[in-house]
């Protein structure tokens, strides 16, 4: 399995979810679901990128400078990526993946990825080791991680993903040194890009997020004109989000991977698998955001079966039947947010997000 394969939506999500911009768009991930039917035995197309040779050469140079000096012949190949150039370099005792952003003018998200992966590893989640990270190498940031080779396994990936979600929910974001605690109680070393535009005080940020969605459901809402929902549905939608305000008041908040799908899980035989691709890591209600995404993949996207969703919830230790009403309300919040985001930032995605929101309302509104 090629654990570094990316699809278009996933790369978009990595950029958007890590943003901490104060603009009015939502901060939830715009990716409606994983491409779970990807070919695990992908052979990169040698003609897929006219700059493959230069990208591989640049990656090899980075490995020489930052990981290990060249000691003979090495091989390199460009792996699929949209917003990120992903190159595998191997040979002479080195087997690594070099990642660089295609848009070097954008924010450097690699510190957040490294922080998330390292802290997850401290709580028993196996992750690829970060071997080097530079804020400026060439024209922009760069990160090198170990390449993890898959070993065939009979383990249930969805149950494993649920178990890993439970472990991630235990990652502490509070400061160890009381003298370094910020007013919100969060360790100041946690990268800003792991937080949404609603701030670093996680409970308050979530309250503001849900309130933003609720306060947007007013007469004259642009989503009414787009046909996302009807005037008759506006009252039930407000009721659903008001319930979400109340029931989420006591939720815990912490680290979220944001893309818990089998394609991001590298099997390692009978041992624990390795969880990769931390570009969508963020903070928020745990384990609710992880469960919410898999639920939406099942109910709205149709790319996860009901049995897979149930196995994920079992691994997480959550009673799925008891959680479904809350998950339906989270799905409504998410998809309404996405339409507002598309209106402000991605009009090319508007038709798609409108259709997804209509589907979510049809399936999740009481």
């Amino acid at each position: 399995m090629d654990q570094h394969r990316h699809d278009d939506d996933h790369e978009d999500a990595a950029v958007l979810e890590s943003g901490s911009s104060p603009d009015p768009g939502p901060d939830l991930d715009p990716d409606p679901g994983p491409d779970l039917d990807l070919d695990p035995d992908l052979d990169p197309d040698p003609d897929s990128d006219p700059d493959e040779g230069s990208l591989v050469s640049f990656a090899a140079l980075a490995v020489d400078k930052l990981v290990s000096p060249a000691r003979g012949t090495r091989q390199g190949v460009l792996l699929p990526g949209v917003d990120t150039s992903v190159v595998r370099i191997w040979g002479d005792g080195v087997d690594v993946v070099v990642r660089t952003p295609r848009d070097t003018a954008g924010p450097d998200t690699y510190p957040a990825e490294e922080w998330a992966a390292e802290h997850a590893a401290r709580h028993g989640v196996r992750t690829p080791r970060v071997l080097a990270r530079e804020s400026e190498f060439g024209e922009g940031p760069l990160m090198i991680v170990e390449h993890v080779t898959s070993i065939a396994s009979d383990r249930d990936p969805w149950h494993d993903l649920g178990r890993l979600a439970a472990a991630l929910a235990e990652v502490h974001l509070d400061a160890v040194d009381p003298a370094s605690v910020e007013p919100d109680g969060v360790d100041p070393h946690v990268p800003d890009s792991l937080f949404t535009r609603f701030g670093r005080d996680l409970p308050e940020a979530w309250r503001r997020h849900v309130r933003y969605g609720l306060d947007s459901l007013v007469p004259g809402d642009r989503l009414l004109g787009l046909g996302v929902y009807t005037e008759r549905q506006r009252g039930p939608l407000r009721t659903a989000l008001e319930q979400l305000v109340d029931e989420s008041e006591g939720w815990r908040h912490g680290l979220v991977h944001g893309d818990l799908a089998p394609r991001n899980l590298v099997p390692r035989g009978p041992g624990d698998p390795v969880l990769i691709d931390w570009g969508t890591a963020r903070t928020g209600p745990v384990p609710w955001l992880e469960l919410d995404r898999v639920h939406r993949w099942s109910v709205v996207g149709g790319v996860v079966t009901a049995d897979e969703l149930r196995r994920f919830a079992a691994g997480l230790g959550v009673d799925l039947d008891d959680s479904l009403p809350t998950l339906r309300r989270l799905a409504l919040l998410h998809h309404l947010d996405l339409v507002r985001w598309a209106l402000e930032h991605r009009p090319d995605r508007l038709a798609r997000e409108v259709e997804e929101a209509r589907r979510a309302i049809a399936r999740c509104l009481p």
Side-chain angles (χ1 to χ4, degrees):
M1 181 176 73
D2 176 10
Q3 72 268 31
H4 299 286
R5 180 167 187 176
H6 298 275
D7 61 84
D8 293 10
D9 293 332
H10 172 73
E11 290 293 346
D12 286 346
V15 173
L16 291 162
E17 289 184 331
S18 62
S20 55
S21 168
D23 64 41
D27 284 89
L28 286 181
D29 145 52
D31 181 4
D35 187 352
L36 295 178
D37 296 322
L38 294 176
D39 178 7
D41 296 319
L42 172 72
D43 289 321
D45 180 2
D47 299 322
S48 62
D49 194 314
D51 296 323
E52 176 168 0
S54 60
L55 288 170
V56 170
S57 295
F58 177 79
L61 174 64
V63 172
D64 289 345
K65 295 289 187 181
L66 303 174
V67 178
S68 175
R71 296 187 303 276
T73 302
R74 285 181 180 159
Q75 301 180 66
V77 64
L78 179 66
L79 304 178
V82 177
D83 291 328
T84 300
S85 295
V86 185
V87 178
R88 180 184 174 191
I89 301 292
W90 72 96
D92 298 319
V94 171
D95 194 354
V96 300
V97 171
V98 181
R99 300 179 59 202
T100 54
R102 293 186 187 274
D103 179 12
T104 56
D108 181 3
T109 63
Y110 295 145
E113 291 188 39
E114 181 179 21
W115 190 96
E118 289 187 351
H119 282 71
R122 296 177 188 177
H123 285 75
V125 178
R126 295 187 63 184
T127 65
R129 288 184 302 123
V130 175
L131 303 177
R133 179 177 61 78
E134 294 289 332
S135 58
E136 292 186 12
F137 191 93
E139 298 181 356
L142 172 148
M143 185 164 68
I144 303 176
V145 302
E146 66 176 344
H147 179 271
V148 182
T149 302
S150 64
I151 301 174
S153 173
D154 293 330
R155 296 171 65 118
D156 176 7
W158 282 108
H159 190 276
D160 275 339
L161 287 165
R163 184 176 53 80
L164 293 176
L168 288 176
E170 301 302 320
V171 175
H172 301 296
L173 301 180
D174 54 329
V176 176
D177 178 8
S180 67
V181 175
E182 296 180 348
D184 50 38
V186 173
D187 187 338
H189 297 100
V190 181
D192 286 339
S193 57
L194 287 175
F195 300 88
T196 71
R197 62 188 170 90
F198 294 107
R200 293 173 64 95
D201 183 332
L202 294 180
E204 178 60 23
W206 179 250
R207 283 191 289 268
R208 291 178 60 197
H209 186 127
V210 182
R211 180 56 61 181
Y212 165 80
L214 179 59
D215 291 346
S216 299
L217 294 169
V218 295
D221 183 4
R222 286 187 293 176
L223 272 59
L224 280 166
L226 290 170
V228 174
Y229 65 91
T230 66
E231 182 61 43
R232 174 180 289 185
Q233 290 172 322
R234 187 165 64 86
L237 283 171
R238 289 188 59 86
T239 298
L241 296 195
E242 286 169 349
Q243 291 175 314
L244 191 57
V245 169
D246 293 338
E247 68 187 321
S248 64
E249 186 60 33
W251 284 358
R252 292 190 301 126
H253 297 261
L255 181 65
V256 178
H257 178 275
D259 197 8
L260 292 180
R263 63 187 171 88
N264 285 332
L265 200 63
V266 182
R268 297 292 292 168
D272 288 337
V274 178
L275 184 60
I276 63 166
D277 207 338
W278 292 82
T280 52
R282 63 191 189 276
T283 54
V286 292
W288 285 104
L289 289 189
E290 306 284 24
L291 186 57
D292 162 60
R293 187 162 190 182
V294 179
H295 171 257
R296 287 186 285 105
W297 286 339
S298 177
V299 174
V300 180
V303 293
V304 170
T305 69
D307 180 63
E308 289 169 337
L309 171 61
R310 192 164 292 279
R311 280 155 37 207
F312 179 81
L316 189 51
V318 169
D319 187 309
L320 181 61
D321 294 326
D322 288 346
S323 303
L324 282 175
T326 299
L327 292 173
R328 294 185 185 111
R329 290 188 274 271
L330 284 170
L332 294 171
L333 173 69
H334 177 93
H335 285 287
L336 291 173
D337 272 351
L338 284 180
V339 178
R340 302 187 194 285
W341 163 79
L343 275 168
E344 297 291 337
H345 302 288
R346 288 291 299 273
D348 60 306
R349 293 271 294 264
L350 183 59
R352 166 183 167 176
E353 301 305 343
V354 166
E355 179 58 32
E356 292 281 347
R358 288 173 180 164
R359 189 180 306 141
I361 289 171
R363 298 178 181 179
C364 299
L365 187 65

